[in-house]
Amino acid sequence: MNRESCLAADRNDPLAPFRDEFLLPDCVLYFDGNSLGPRPVGALERATTVVADEWGSGLIRSWNDADWFSLPSRLGDKMSHLIGGGDGETVVTDTTTLNIFKTLAAALGIAEKRDPARRVILSERDNFPTDLYITEGLIEFVDRGYELRLIDSPADLAGALGPEVAVVLLSHVNYRTGAMFDLAASTRDIHDAGALVIWDLAHSVGAVPVDLVGADADFAVGCTYKYLNGGPGAPAFLWVHARHHDDFRQPLSGWWGHARPFAMEPSYEPHAGIQRFLCGTQPVVSLSLVECGLDIALRADPVDVRRKSLELSDLFIALVEERCSRHPLTLITPRDPAARGSHVSFRHPEGYAVMQALIARGLIGDYREPEVLRFGITPLYLGHTDVWDAVEILRDVLDSEAWDSPAFRNRAAVT
Ligand SMILES: *Cc1c(COP(=O)(O)O)cnc(C)c1O
């Protein structure tokens, strides 16, 4: 493999035209689209339309005329196509953190009706912290003797399932290592043990194929600002299998989830189906921009996306191990393609400083505790040559020890 063969591979890449759909500054190699996707070119025009026309001229009439009111479910139906859900099963709303709270409360309600003795919520110690924190908060708030139990690795899941487990909350792809659960097989194990499952798809959606109905999952949540390029802080999504739609209440019973929101009745009655997961007035500007990234993702063939993601990841791993072999880098992402998502992580004892030095050279990835250099592989706007160039920057920063400077050891508020 050399730079010429990378250029040749890029010329034959069916996804190459998607690069023009994104605004990426010159002199930047962007390997952080798993954390904040770049701006779709069309987002600026969409923002101008929403702010200048729909808000500016339309004013309050736009709730109807621009169809603002139905945005959560219209975008939800588009999202459903990406995750193997059906129409009316998904809404785009709130944050992933809040959606975990709502779905976990709903799932516990269903589990309790089936078998009140089950009191364990099972998750993974290495799950994204907010998933664990919000679970702790819910347990304390409902105060009904629930317990959060944590497994230490995906291999421990089957052994940890038992008659005391009510709900299992897992991230499909691990935010740090990129390790991926087999969604269908794990869902089957969880159901066989009599529990319900909530999948957090934050690091999956837009990057790896997901088929929630095919896997017969119960609930799912996820972000739109990562691989779906919805914009900083863009609203998240929430999916519920149709069999649960009218089966439960969720505790954040706001007026947008009421059966008749504009009847202004004094008491809550949940809307039929997924709508009951809406709480209050939605962030219309952010929500509108989500559609730009979603529409791009829907045009890409998911088979091509997965194939290229694995191709680029394999290339990245091979080049780093070959060209940076005398440096203390340890791959923490599974080598088995079936067991990883779309980012690649290496540990390095000076990981933080190394990443700051890479960013100063235009290679943007990110750093995660402990010592982890994380590189997002995003097939819609990265190619083989980008991977080659990124590894050359990494090699140079390590060979020259350019990272060994006080300026690169300073921790910013966001790492
Ligand atoms: C990024 C991420 C989140 C983020 O949640 P927010 O509410 O958007 O801050 C949650 N869970 C996982 C697994 C993530 O990777």
Side-chain angles (χ1 to χ4, degrees):
M1 206 60 175
N2 53 35
R3 197 166 192 276
E4 275 59 50
S5 60
C6 290
L7 284 164
D10 288 343
R11 278 193 294 272
N12 292 321
D13 171 12
L15 294 176
F18 282 96
R19 169 69 183 76
D20 294 335
E21 309 250 5
F22 297 95
L23 185 94
L24 284 158
D26 294 338
C27 306
V28 162
L29 286 170
Y30 198 61
F31 281 67
D32 214 0
N34 57 313
S35 198
L36 174 65
R39 199 196 95 192
V41 170
L44 187 60
E45 192 187 331
R46 181 84 188 105
T48 304
T49 304
V50 175
V51 173
D53 303 343
E54 296 179 4
W55 179 18
S57 307
L59 293 163
I60 201 166
R61 293 169 291 194
S62 287
W63 283 109
N64 290 314
D65 295 349
D67 224 359
W68 285 350
F69 190 64
S70 68
L71 267 173
S73 40
R74 276 195 291 122
L75 297 180
D77 284 345
K78 288 192 174 192
M79 181 68 69
S80 251
H81 290 291
L82 286 178
I83 56 178
D87 282 348
E89 295 180 4
T90 308
V91 280
V92 177
T93 185
D94 296 334
T95 63
T96 301
T97 303
L98 279 171
N99 288 340
I100 294 169
F101 186 90
K102 291 184 286 184
T103 50
L104 184 54
L108 289 174
I110 297 169
E112 174 145 24
K113 267 195 265 170
R114 288 184 184 173
D115 180 358
R118 291 177 183 255
R119 274 292 177 272
V120 169
I121 301 164
L122 192 66
S123 191
E124 200 184 357
R125 194 172 309 282
D126 198 23
N127 203 341
F128 190 82
T130 207
D131 298 51
L132 305 180
Y133 300 165
I134 205 78
T135 301
E136 290 175 336
L138 180 67
I139 288 172
E140 194 179 314
F141 179 68
V142 301
D143 195 18
R144 289 162 64 80
Y146 285 109
E147 172 201 337
L148 174 60
R149 201 174 285 172
L150 302 175
I151 54 173
D152 287 313
S153 101
D156 297 341
L157 175 63
L161 294 167
E164 68 287 2
V165 178
V167 176
V168 181
L169 167 65
L170 293 173
S171 290
H172 181 211
V173 174
N174 183 280
Y175 78 100
R176 188 190 346 245
T177 64
M180 181 167 77
F181 279 94
D182 181 329
L183 195 135
S186 304
T187 299
R188 209 176 315 120
D189 289 348
I190 292 163
H191 284 174
D192 286 350
L196 295 161
V197 65
I198 302 170
W199 287 105
D200 186 335
L201 304 177
H203 279 279
S204 322
V205 65
V208 299
V210 175
D211 183 2
L212 290 168
V213 171
D216 199 35
D218 298 294
F219 297 86
V221 299
C223 301
T224 64
Y225 55 75
K226 293 176 176 167
Y227 291 98
L228 292 180
N229 313 297
F237 67 89
L238 179 165
W239 168 86
V240 183
H241 193 288
R243 69 173 163 272
H244 297 310
H245 274 192
D246 296 315
D247 210 17
F248 59 87
R249 292 177 74 129
Q250 64 92 0
L252 302 185
S253 46
W255 73 302
W256 273 55
H258 193 280
R260 294 165 300 277
F262 290 93
M264 302 291 177
E265 295 163 15
S267 176
Y268 184 75
E269 182 188 321
H271 199 289
I274 190 82
Q275 286 295 110
R276 69 182 57 180
F277 274 102
L278 302 178
C279 298
T281 306
Q282 304 296 308
V284 170
V285 179
S286 294
L287 204 47
S288 302
L289 299 189
V290 169
E291 193 159 23
C292 305
L294 259 183
D295 284 345
I296 297 173
L298 285 166
R299 274 190 278 113
D301 182 336
V303 174
D304 286 345
V305 171
R306 178 61 172 162
R307 184 192 40 74
K308 186 176 169 191
S309 153
L310 292 177
E311 233 172 73
L312 296 185
S313 304
D314 286 342
L315 176 65
F316 185 73
I317 293 169
L319 288 175
V320 170
E321 293 189 332
E322 178 194 313
R323 305 182 74 81
C324 309
S325 60
R326 61 188 192 85
H327 298 288
L329 288 166
T330 313
L331 180 70
I332 61 166
T333 301
R335 283 178 199 276
D336 174 7
R340 70 172 119 98
S342 200
H343 63 271
V344 175
S345 300
F346 285 93
R347 272 181 90 141
H348 184 287
E350 294 288 346
Y352 184 80
V354 170
M355 183 50 74
Q356 303 324 302
L358 295 177
I359 293 170
R361 292 279 304 273
L363 169 56
I364 302 182
D366 61 21
Y367 171 80
R368 286 289 174 267
E369 292 291 346
E371 302 182 351
V372 175
L373 300 165
R374 191 173 69 155
F375 300 94
I377 306 291
T378 47
L380 295 188
Y381 49 86
L382 288 181
H384 298 73
T385 317
D386 297 315
V387 169
W388 177 274
D389 293 343
V391 176
E392 281 304 281
I393 292 176
L394 175 63
R395 186 183 59 75
D396 190 58
V397 160
L398 293 174
D399 285 353
S400 65
E401 298 187 2
W403 53 267
D404 193 6
S405 137
F408 295 139
R409 290 209 163 86
N410 259 342
R411 303 262 170 153
V414 176
T415 61

